[in-house]
Amino acid sequence: MNLSFMFALFLLLSLHSYTARGGKAQRRQRQAEENLKPYIGRVEPKKLCELLKCYSPMGSWCQVVEENGVLIPKCVCPQSCPRQRAPVCSVLGKTYGNECLLHKEACRKRRRTGLAHTGPCLVPKAECTEEELGQFPYRLMDWFLLLSRMGESYAPGAPPQSCLSHAQRTQLAQMSSSC
């Protein structure tokens, strides 16, 4: 086959799969907005925004906008953001000046970037050393063992900065299995 024909076919299939994904997100968005319509005018729009999950446009967030004289919740990409300083941390570990800036960048990059928590990210994003990468499975196991021992009393806080020794892990695992 001709190389240019193969390339054109590839582009056509890529475009089709991209629009199919976009179409699905748009359908989900329309459905989510339709589900809220019975409550418009009866429930405060800001409360409805808390219930509206934004699928499209990609990276958007819910804002109260006026349409035909009625305030409604709508998923939009921010064009400009306030200068107020209210740092937030994304699920990707990046700190933004405020939530609006997080969604503005997510829309610009056309990706869903969720909010992890308010306030700056606790741990700066950095490359792991070889030693830290080697410790990862053990730290993860320590974390799960700790969570299982804490049960319902778990309240998120800063994780411990050091690993348990092999003997401590073994002892903790034996104690957990005997419960």
Side-chain angles (χ1 to χ4, degrees), residues 35-111:
N35 290 342
L36 292 181
K37 275 191 177 178
Y39 304 100
I40 293 176
R42 298 189 311 176
V43 177
E44 187 179 330
K46 282 191 177 195
K47 294 278 187 202
L48 292 176
C49 251
E50 293 171 13
L51 299 173
L52 182 60
K53 180 157 174 61
C54 294
Y55 300 100
S56 176
M58 186 86 70
S60 63
W61 67 332
C62 186
Q63 293 291 286
V64 176
V65 297
E66 186 176 335
E67 278 190 9
N68 302 322
V70 178
L71 294 176
I72 63 166
K74 189 152 188 89
C75 292
V76 296
C77 283
Q79 299 304 310
S80 63
C81 294
R83 291 180 184 240
Q84 72 184 27
R85 191 84 182 123
V88 296
C89 181
S90 77
V91 294
L92 299 175
K94 181 176 177 185
T95 300
Y96 292 87
N98 57 47
E99 190 174 1
C100 180
L101 292 170
L102 180 150
H103 288 282
K104 185 175 181 181
E105 182 173 313
C107 282
R108 185 178 61 78
K109 291 184 174 180
R110 290 191 171 117
R111 79 166 112 166

Side-chain angles (χ1 to χ4, degrees), residues 108-171:
R108 185 178 61 78
K109 291 184 174 180
R110 290 191 171 117
R111 79 166 112 166
R112 295 186 214 297
T113 304
L115 174 69
H117 59 83
T118 57
C121 297
L122 302 175
V123 179
K125 192 174 181 181
E127 294 293 317
C128 293
T129 65
E130 286 296 319
E131 181 183 3
E132 290 169 327
L133 286 173
Q135 291 176 353
F136 177 74
Y138 302 110
R139 288 180 180 239
L140 187 61
M141 188 169 72
D142 291 345
W143 180 248
F144 286 125
L145 289 171
L146 178 65
L147 288 177
S148 69
R149 300 230 28 230
M150 296 173 80
E152 305 245 344
S153 66
Y154 171 68
Q161 294 300 309
S162 63
C163 280
L164 296 174
S165 68
H166 178 71
Q168 290 170 319
R169 274 194 301 280
T170 305
Q171 182 183 10

Side-chain angles (χ1 to χ4, degrees), residues 6-24 26 110:
M6 293 291 285
F7 182 70
L9 183 61
F10 171 75
L11 281 178
L12 182 61
L13 290 173
S14 299
L15 180 61
H16 174 70
S17 66
Y18 175 78
T19 55
R21 283 193 306 259
K24 182 179 179 183
Q26 290 168 347
R110 290 191 171 117

